[in-house]
Amino acid sequence: MADNSIQENRLSLARASLRQSLARYSHLRQGKKNSNNTELEATLQNQLDILTSTSEKLDNKVIRIATFGLVSRGKSAVLNALLGQKILQTGPLNGVTQWPRSVRWTIPFIPAAEDTEKIQVELIDTPGIDEVGGEVRGEMAKQVTRQADLILFVVAGDITRTEYQALCELQTAQKPLILVFNKIDLYPELDRKAIYQSLQALGNSEQLAAAAVTEETDSENLSDRPNNPSDKSTAKSPFKTAKSLEIVMVAAEPAPVQVRVEWSDGRVTNEWESPPAQIDELKHKILTILNREGRSLLALNALVEARDAEANIARQVLKLRHTEAEDLIWQFAKYKALAVGLNPVAFLDVMGATVADLALIRSLSRLYGLPMTGYEAGKLWQTIFSSAGGVLLGELGSSFLLGFGKSAAVAAPQIGFSTFAGVAVTQASLAAYGTYAVGRAAQVYLEKGCTWGPLGQDTVIQEILATIERNTIIDRLQQEFKI
């Protein structure tokens, strides 16, 4: 079990990271319209709301556990059994739960570090994944999955194709998942063991079939590609199951059984009696996870959610500022070309070109509302230089050599003005192209939402994962926390 103080430190790092992100984009909440594109504005505001709610969830130490499954698999019954009382509606009809509903689960025996608040647990009940159709179902599932820190996928026997596909989608959410085999009271012992072994084989399989990827996921993957009808038949790709898949057998709401009752007056009657729920194994599994790594899970999930939101915010800001950014890049390219072309001193050409590129990076960051110090701009310029080293090295090298050519033309008047002008035009063209390349590359890096900084989400995620204890559910999930 991770020391509670270590887990609290991870929470503190995650809080600091999210607060930095919120401060970075605070200017976007002033209500001032950034463009006439209301759709982009709405998307931007939605991502800001996600970032804010994630920060509040982290501050309040709320761990959310969500259930998924087909209709009539007993999702609500499983949560009622965990709660110890029937709060969520259940019934014989399909689709009793129409919309997600959350209920606070009071667990008094989760320890907390000294002088810290205990974590809170919310249980989220969802409609059957085959009950709400199409786009509504997909969007609802995405929102709940995004908010969840732990997922319970409820089945009631051998897994169906629809359940298989839904499980595949959930496995991409980078969240720990428990496969709950409910209604075991309806199966004889041998059948129950056979189904359990079948579920184990599914959980231990090396790959899930490509057919598990839904059409919605396909369309998202294809949205960034050129329109090509033939892509739709080849877009699906297999992916590995998470090694953290746990399987627990329960009977959340056992079927009533007939019992023989002998009365004191000699009468004998047969009455129906509901056996107690068989939920202790699942409860123990959940509490073990929460006690051992609940705060770490909360921190990591909040960071992943914030990272995605910040990347989306940066993407929307780039779209909103596209025209202004293009004008700014070309303006810097023009002035840099003139300055480099007309300057006769070789060393000043190279120095001036580098300073202009750094100024461009900082100007773009200010335009996008992403504060950046001179040191950060320099680090980013180095990263861009290493990524596009061929182009930029060619520009600097050519600038250096051509600068010597101009210096020689000035020092030796007999060479003539035409030589100086020819060299200057060539050098100016290279300088302008180099500035444009730097500007475009800076846009790509800024679009990542500044997640690379000292308190950036990727940096903090790496720091937490580097200290995760062995044989924990996060340790088995590390390959899925993509950075």
Side-chain angles (χ1 to χ4, degrees):
M1 180 187 301
D3 186 273
N4 283 324
S5 61
I6 295 177
Q7 294 204 63
E8 286 295 331
N9 288 338
R10 293 167 182 164
L11 276 178
S12 297
L13 277 174
R15 286 195 196 97
S17 178
L18 266 68
R19 286 169 182 166
Q20 174 181 269
S21 297
L22 286 172
R24 179 181 294 126
Y25 297 107
S26 60
H27 66 286
L28 297 176
R29 287 193 174 277
Q30 296 174 357
K32 183 179 179 181
K33 290 293 181 181
N34 293 290
S35 77
N36 294 325
N37 193 325
T38 56
E39 183 178 353
L40 281 178
E41 289 281 357
T43 304
L44 179 59
Q45 188 60 46
N46 179 58
Q47 296 302 318
L48 286 169
D49 291 341
I50 290 174
L51 199 57
T52 302
S53 64
T54 302
S55 180
E56 292 173 350
K57 175 175 176 282
L58 199 57
D59 287 338
N60 295 325
K61 295 185 180 179
V62 178
I63 291 182
R64 294 192 173 112
I65 302 174
T67 59
F68 290 92
L70 298 187
V71 295
S72 299
R73 295 307 192 260
K75 301 182 297 297
S76 301
V78 167
L79 297 186
N80 284 335
L82 289 173
L83 292 166
Q85 52 185 321
K86 190 170 183 177
I87 294 178
L88 301 169
Q89 185 180 1
T90 62
L93 299 178
N94 288 344
V96 173
T97 303
Q98 294 295 322
W99 299 100
R101 180 184 175 187
S102 63
V103 181
R104 184 63 53 87
W105 186 19
T106 303
I107 309 176
F109 41 88
I110 296 182
E114 188 176 353
D115 298 328
T116 62
E117 298 179 359
K118 291 184 177 179
I119 61 174
Q120 304 178 62
V121 181
E122 284 185 4
L123 303 178
I124 303 177
D125 193 19
T126 64
I129 54 180
D130 54 340
E131 181 68 21
V132 183
E135 185 177 343
V136 175
R137 182 198 71 184
E139 187 58 33
M140 184 187 301
K142 282 181 180 180
Q143 290 181 5
V144 175
T145 304
R146 175 179 56 77
Q147 297 172 5
D149 300 291
L150 175 64
I151 294 173
L152 307 180
F153 191 84
V154 183
V155 298
D158 282 322
I159 198 166
T160 67
R161 181 175 179 81
T162 302
E163 288 172 321
Y164 187 68
Q165 291 176 335
L167 186 59
C168 291
E169 292 181 43
L170 290 171
Q171 291 284 57
T172 67
Q174 303 172 2
K175 306 291 177 73
L177 187 148
I178 299 176
L179 187 60
V180 181
F181 175 17
N182 189 26
K183 302 187 180 182
I184 59 173
D185 56 300
L186 302 181
Y187 296 93
E189 183 68 21
L190 290 178
D191 292 347
R192 184 189 309 170
K193 288 183 178 180
I195 295 172
Y196 182 79
Q197 291 172 355
S198 175
L199 295 175
Q200 277 186 319
L202 172 68
N204 295 329
S205 64
E206 287 297 319
Q207 282 188 333
L208 296 178
V213 183
T214 61
E215 291 182 3
E216 182 177 1
T217 304
D218 289 342
S219 62
E220 290 177 357
N221 291 338
L222 289 168
S223 63
D224 294 329
R225 306 180 187 177
N227 292 329
N228 185 353
S230 64
D231 286 345
K232 294 184 179 180
S233 61
T234 60
K236 298 179 180 180
S237 59
F239 54 90
K240 294 183 179 180
T241 57
K243 296 179 181 178
S244 60
L245 184 63
E246 309 272 358
I247 304 172
V248 178
M249 296 193 296
V250 303
E253 197 173 34
V257 295
Q258 197 172 43
V259 295
R260 176 186 171 91
V261 180
E262 297 182 359
W263 300 90
S264 57
D265 58 2
R267 289 183 301 110
V268 177
T269 60
N270 293 318
E271 299 187 5
W272 293 96
E273 184 177 286
S274 297
Q278 301 175 40
I279 201 70
D280 289 344
E281 184 180 353
L282 177 60
K283 184 180 293 186
H284 179 266
K285 175 71 69 177
I286 294 174
L287 293 180
T288 298
I289 293 173
L290 297 184
N291 284 325
R292 183 176 56 186
E293 49 194 316
R295 293 170 179 81
S296 300
L297 268 176
L298 177 58
L300 282 170
N301 286 330
L303 287 166
V304 170
E305 189 173 353
R307 179 186 63 185
D308 295 341
E310 188 166 1
N312 288 330
I313 289 171
R315 195 174 299 118
Q316 299 307 318
V317 170
L318 260 66
K319 288 181 180 179
L320 289 170
R321 303 292 193 189
H322 175 74
T323 302
E324 297 168 76
E326 287 294 313
D327 292 341
L328 182 64
I329 292 173
W330 282 116
Q331 184 179 11
F332 265 84
K334 178 177 63 177
Y335 289 133
K336 178 182 172 182
L338 288 173
V340 170
L342 296 177
N343 177 56
V345 183
F347 290 104
L348 291 181
D349 289 348
V350 177
M351 293 177 60
T354 303
V355 171
D357 289 342
L358 293 174
L360 171 59
I361 292 173
R362 294 198 66 179
S363 296
L364 283 172
S365 71
R366 285 193 294 269
L367 175 64
Y368 295 138
L370 303 172
M372 181 177 291
T373 64
Y375 173 78
E376 291 171 332
K379 295 290 287 185
L380 179 54
W381 188 88
Q382 292 175 18
T383 303
I384 294 172
F385 186 88
S386 62
S387 299
V391 175
L392 298 181
L393 186 60
E395 185 218 330
L396 290 177
S398 300
S399 180
F400 189 75
L401 293 175
L402 292 172
F404 270 114
K406 287 191 305 178
S407 298
V410 172
Q414 65 272 18
I415 295 179
F417 176 77
S418 59
T419 302
F420 177 90
V423 173
V425 169
T426 303
Q427 192 180 24
S429 300
L430 287 171
Y433 180 75
T435 296
Y436 182 77
V438 168
R440 298 295 293 179
Q443 286 179 303
V444 173
Y445 282 98
L446 289 170
E447 187 175 346
K448 292 182 179 179
C450 294
T451 61
W452 61 83
L455 282 175
Q457 287 86 39
D458 284 338
T459 304
V460 178
I461 289 173
Q462 285 181 331
E463 185 173 339
I464 292 176
L465 291 179
T467 60
I468 286 296
E469 300 74 17
R470 300 291 297 172
N471 299 320
T472 60
I473 201 166
I474 298 178
D475 180 46
R476 298 194 296 272
L477 271 172
Q478 281 203 50
Q479 63 179 357
E480 297 194 14
F481 283 98
K482 302 171 184 176
I483 296 177

